[in-house]
Amino acid sequence: MIHLSSDTGDLFEQAFAYAQKQVRKLIEKHPNVYPLSTENGKWIADSPAWTHWGDGFLPGMMWMFAKHSEPDSVERTYWTEQAIKYTTPLEPRKGDRDVHDLGFLFFSSYYRWWRLTGDPAHREIIIEAGKTLATRFKEKGGYLRSFVGDNSIFIDIMMNVGLIFVAARETGDRRLREIAMRHSHTTRRVLVRGDGSTAQEGIFDTDTGEFLKQTTHQGYRGDSCWSRGLAWALYGFTTCYEYSRDPHFLHTAEACADFYITHAPADGVAPWDFNAPMESRMLPDTSAAAICASGLLRLCRLTPDPLKGHLYWSTAVHILRSLCEKHLTKNDPKWEGILRGGVYHVNQGLGVDESVMWGEYYFCEALERVLWN
Ligand code: GLY
């Protein structure tokens, strides 16, 4: 693998340090709150959140900051204490049957903690969360249902199904592995198109299990490619290949990566939807770009083709450079997030051109991967 030039390395290290500064300011201003997006650059911290799918991302960044602080330093102690403080309240979510988001919640928080300590209690929490997620499986149709209803599958669930693979690996439970495999194969068949683009949602006939149509909530249209969904697919199928070693999933991750690379603008930062009308296509989603960069940094190590590996690594570096040079909030001292230009929900007018917590998390994770992995 080629190495970062020293100016790029410096740029990324400064961005990682800036992220710590912004997160520290947030938790000092709003202790024990898990905001998901900003409004005019200020974290929405005083009104109830629409959903709690992203509560793991704030502690997830703290685990990264702790890991990459000097051993025995004041910073290491500070970030470890904060990470524990923000991770522990998430434990009851391991039994949450109402959402499909347990991978988002636990990979970022308890999984990082477990990897650091090897504590069997953390392993048990991960296993239980994976088992809970598996209860969403619909035998007819062969998929994990989304929070919307029994007939609905979401592309986002590819970011969560990895938790079932981990639970299967840790327990040796073949049924769990079968559920994870079947859901991933179904998603590949019904939500990923021949050109590598993706749909956000699919609808099934629950009586027969027949797949009926592709739809969307956060994208432009059912037949368009919502860029964050594509990024979830790229990253999620990469994880799925890592755990299963089924080459179909590698091909799917590569197809999604190739679609992103060939359709993104020159700076590598995707529009919120690749098929939105021209005027709205000017609106980028920096969170999709950050997720994609982090996914590519994993995929580049798994692909057996060295040319592709090089392309994925250098695209990730290019995206991160663009995010650091054009979208960091450093020039606006009143802005509370790290990255501007994230998009939550265009159709609801929620978190549009703002900071979004998952964008911050995957940006930091991508920096972590490129700097220290
Ligand atoms: N709920 C996942 C997303 O907004 O991408």
Side-chain angles (χ1 to χ4, degrees):
M1 199 58 67
I2 51 172
H3 294 289
L4 292 174
S5 65
S6 66
D7 69 320
T8 303
D10 289 349
L11 183 71
F12 292 171
E13 279 180 14
Q14 284 158 18
F16 198 75
Y18 178 66
Q20 296 184 47
K21 201 172 119 200
Q22 294 299 86
V23 170
R24 195 168 183 142
K25 277 205 265 185
L26 161 61
I27 60 180
E28 281 168 6
K29 183 169 172 192
H30 299 292
N32 305 318
V33 177
Y34 300 76
L36 207 47
S37 59
T38 61
E39 193 174 336
N40 299 318
K42 308 264 182 267
W43 288 111
I44 304 173
D46 301 325
S47 48
W50 172 39
T51 73
H52 287 278
W53 69 275
D55 290 0
F57 297 130
L58 189 53
M61 284 187 279
M62 297 168 180
W63 287 117
M64 291 181 221
F65 301 154
K67 185 171 173 188
H68 301 291
S69 307
E70 289 296 323
D72 304 321
S73 62
V74 178
E75 287 75 26
R76 170 81 60 105
T77 307
Y78 173 78
W79 285 120
T80 305
E81 282 172 5
Q82 294 301 324
I84 293 172
K85 188 169 142 197
Y86 279 76
T87 296
T88 311
L90 303 184
E91 183 183 340
R93 302 289 304 277
K94 68 188 177 192
D96 185 345
R97 288 173 174 247
D98 293 334
V99 296
H100 58 243
D101 301 314
L102 297 185
F104 285 129
L105 283 163
F106 284 91
F107 273 128
S108 49
S109 59
Y110 269 98
Y111 190 77
R112 283 184 174 270
W113 196 3
W114 174 38
R115 280 206 321 203
L116 216 62
T117 61
D119 185 335
H122 301 152
R123 176 177 170 274
E124 286 308 312
I125 290 167
I126 293 293
I127 292 172
E128 197 169 335
K131 285 184 176 171
T132 301
L133 186 61
T135 62
R136 307 188 72 77
F137 190 66
K138 303 296 293 177
E139 193 59 47
K140 281 186 187 160
Y143 60 94
L144 298 161
R145 68 185 164 86
S146 84
F147 75 97
V148 170
D150 277 356
N151 62 348
S152 159
I153 183 175
F154 269 30
I155 196 70
D156 322 22
I157 299 173
M158 284 312 300
M159 291 296 284
N160 297 286
V161 69
L163 205 60
I164 304 180
F165 276 113
V166 173
R169 185 191 68 202
E170 293 300 313
T171 57
D173 184 333
R174 294 168 78 90
R175 172 72 183 147
L176 286 175
R177 185 178 159 88
E178 186 199 327
I179 286 174
M181 290 293 281
R182 282 183 63 196
H183 172 81
S184 305
H185 276 294
T186 302
T187 306
R188 178 174 178 270
R189 182 170 61 82
V190 304
L191 294 184
V192 184
R193 307 185 185 111
D195 62 357
S197 70
T198 51
Q200 181 181 10
E201 187 187 31
I203 302 294
F204 288 83
D205 179 328
T206 50
D207 291 330
T208 63
E210 180 187 3
F211 177 67
L212 299 177
K213 62 172 181 176
Q214 297 181 342
T215 58
T216 195
H217 295 262
Q218 284 154 280
Y220 170 58
R221 289 198 323 206
D223 64 349
S224 72
C225 183
W226 173 53
S227 63
R228 193 156 69 256
L230 179 71
W232 291 144
L234 186 170
Y235 191 126
F237 278 104
T238 300
T239 307
C240 184
Y241 173 63
E242 199 171 353
Y243 288 136
S244 67
R245 294 291 158 170
D246 181 332
H248 292 100
F249 301 137
L250 175 65
H251 295 154
T252 304
E254 290 184 348
C256 296
D258 297 351
F259 185 92
Y260 187 100
I261 293 168
T262 50
H263 290 75
D267 65 2
V269 180
W272 72 282
D273 189 300
F274 285 99
N275 303 103
M278 193 44 88
E279 62 281 12
S280 137
R281 220 186 301 161
M282 303 305 283
L283 179 71
D285 180 2
T286 54
S287 76
I291 297 157
C292 176
S294 192
L296 287 173
L297 288 166
R298 204 162 188 178
L299 184 57
C300 74
R301 289 169 178 265
L302 293 170
T303 181
D305 178 342
L307 267 184
K308 279 200 170 193
H310 184 274
L311 173 67
Y312 296 155
W313 184 86
S314 48
T315 302
V317 170
H318 179 62
I319 293 171
L320 286 174
R321 276 204 73 105
S322 296
L323 293 177
C324 290
E325 285 168 356
K326 291 166 56 176
H327 298 280
L328 271 192
T329 59
K330 268 182 167 172
N331 57 359
D332 183 349
K334 292 207 180 108
W335 196 282
E336 293 179 354
I338 301 161
L339 275 185
R340 272 175 195 280
V343 172
Y344 192 177
H345 204 313
V346 166
N347 303 324
Q348 284 191 8
L350 176 67
V352 178
D353 196 14
E354 295 287 345
S355 295
V356 290
M357 198 57 86
W358 62 92
E360 319 278 65
Y361 173 83
Y362 289 102
F363 175 60
C364 289
E365 186 185 76
L367 292 172
E368 180 185 38
R369 285 185 175 164
V370 80
L371 284 167
W372 293 292
N373 275 358

